[in-house]
Amino acid sequence: MTEMKTWLGLEIGNSRLHWGWFAGENLQITWDTPHLSRSIEQQLAQCKTFADLPQEILSPIDSFISGGAVRSYLLPIYIASVVPSQTVLWQAYPEAHVISLDKIPLLGIYPTLGIDRALAVLGAGETCGFPILVIDAGTALTFTGADGDRCLVGGAILPGLSLQLQSLGQKTANLPSIAAPEILSLPERWATNTPEAIQSGVIYTLIASIRDFITAWWEKFPDSQICFKGGDGKLLLEYLRSLYPELTTKIVYEPNLTFWGMRSSLQNSQSSCLS
C-alpha cells in the first residue's frame, strides 16, 4: 500500500461484519451487516468493481455511494477476523488483505491474541495515548491493556452481556433466554419476576467485574484512560456511570477503535516499506 487512498476496513466479529469506509486516513462511514453464507464465495471471487459486492453489503450505504465513481473500481478490503470460516470466504475477493499479528506495532504480543483485541488496543493508544485499557463488550467481554511503552500488559475474557443472558435459557429447563435491555436505566436489583431476576443477576455481576478490573488497572497505571467499545459497550458504560459516576471521568466510549488500529497498522506497514 504505497498511498492511503480509498479503502475498506472489515472487522469480522463473532456475530456480525463491521465495516469502515476510509478516504485516506479519514473514516467516512461505518455500518454493520450479517455474516455471509458460503454460497457467496464465487461472487466475491468474480468482483471487478465495488458495485459487484453482494447487495446485502451495499444496501446500508446506497445513499452514501449513489452516483459516485467509486462504484466503478475495486476497493481494497483490509480484514481483521476472529471467525476463520468467514476469513476463508473473504479471501476469495481479489483485493482482500488479511491483517496478521506480526503487522501490529505493539510489543509483547502473544501468538493466540485475537487480532481484534490487538488492533483495538493499538487504536485506543493512538487515539487516547498509552498506557491504555480497552473494554470490548461484544459477544465476549474482553479487557486488553498496554503500557506506556506500547507493550501488551495482558487482559481477560469472559462471556458478554447477551451471551450470559441467553445461556441460562439454553442450558436450563425452566429459565428463559433474555435479550439484552435496550434502555440505559439499570434494572431493579431485587427483582420480583424471573426475567428481571436474570437481568439483575447478570448485569450487576458484570458491572462489579468491570469495576474490579478498572480499579486494578488504575492501581498499575493511575493516569491511564480507558476505552469502551462493542455492541453492548455504550449500555454497560451507562450502567457503570449510574452506579459509580466518579469512576467514569477517564472513561470514553469509542466504537471505532479497531478501525483506528487498522489505520495505524497500515501506516506502519507503509513506513516500513518506504524505509
Side-chain angles (χ1 to χ4, degrees):
M1 187 172 179
T2 58
E3 188 177 350
M4 298 283 282
K5 296 185 178 179
T6 303
W7 57 281
L8 297 176
L10 171 56
E11 179 185 4
I12 302 177
N14 288 298
S15 303
R16 294 177 295 173
L17 305 179
H18 308 284
W19 295 89
W21 178 301
F22 280 84
E25 298 180 2
N26 300 313
L27 183 61
Q28 303 294 308
I29 189 172
T30 63
W31 71 102
D32 297 332
T33 60
H35 285 173
L36 294 180
S37 65
R38 189 75 188 182
S39 62
I40 211 75
E41 185 172 12
Q42 186 174 0
Q43 182 179 346
L44 292 177
Q46 294 175 348
C47 283
K48 291 183 171 55
T49 71
F50 180 69
D52 294 332
L53 282 172
Q55 185 57 33
E56 54 262 48
I57 293 171
L58 300 179
S59 57
I61 57 166
D62 271 342
S63 60
F64 177 77
I65 61 174
S66 59
V70 71
R71 294 179 67 96
S72 63
Y73 59 88
L74 200 63
L75 292 178
I77 299 179
Y78 292 87
I79 300 168
S81 175
V82 297
V83 184
S85 60
Q86 287 284 302
T87 310
V88 171
L89 177 65
W90 276 99
Q91 283 177 313
Y93 181 76
E95 278 290 331
H97 307 273
V98 178
I99 302 173
S100 56
L101 281 176
D102 63 317
K103 302 299 183 184
I104 309 300
L106 293 173
L107 302 174
I109 291 178
Y110 55 88
T112 57
L113 178 68
I115 189 67
D116 56 333
R117 295 175 64 198
L119 286 170
V121 80
L122 173 63
E126 294 284 3
T127 304
C128 299
F130 292 94
I132 193 72
L133 175 67
V134 173
I135 302 173
D136 187 350
T139 303
L141 178 66
T142 65
F143 301 85
T144 313
D147 66 19
D149 296 320
R150 302 169 66 103
C151 183
L152 185 73
V153 174
I157 304 173
L158 66 154
L161 174 61
S162 296
L163 193 58
Q164 289 198 39
L165 290 170
Q166 294 164 8
S167 65
L168 285 172
Q170 295 168 354
K171 298 297 182 180
T172 62
N174 294 319
L175 294 178
S177 291
I178 304 296
E182 295 182 359
I183 57 174
L184 300 182
S185 58
L186 282 161
E188 289 291 330
R189 185 184 291 268
W190 305 108
T192 56
N193 61 69
T194 297
E196 291 179 5
I198 293 172
Q199 284 190 348
S200 173
V202 169
I203 289 171
Y204 283 98
T205 301
L206 265 181
I207 296 303
S209 300
I210 291 169
R211 182 194 184 204
D212 181 70
F213 272 94
I214 289 173
T215 302
W217 180 258
W218 274 333
E219 288 174 356
K220 295 172 68 69
F221 305 104
D223 296 323
S224 171
Q225 275 203 303
I226 294 173
C227 293
F228 271 74
K229 72 178 293 285
D232 292 321
K234 190 172 185 179
L235 184 67
L236 290 178
L237 180 55
E238 286 302 316
Y239 289 161
L240 185 70
R241 186 172 286 123
S242 296
L243 289 171
Y244 310 108
E246 75 289 348
L247 199 69
T248 58
T249 56
K250 292 190 294 183
I251 301 177
V252 298
Y253 173 71
E254 174 48 72
N256 297 319
L257 294 178
T258 300
F259 294 133
W260 304 140
M262 285 184 182
R263 180 181 64 183
S264 180
S265 175
L266 295 177
Q267 289 170 334
N268 182 73
S269 297
Q270 181 183 21
S271 298
S272 298
C273 290
L274 295 176
S275 61

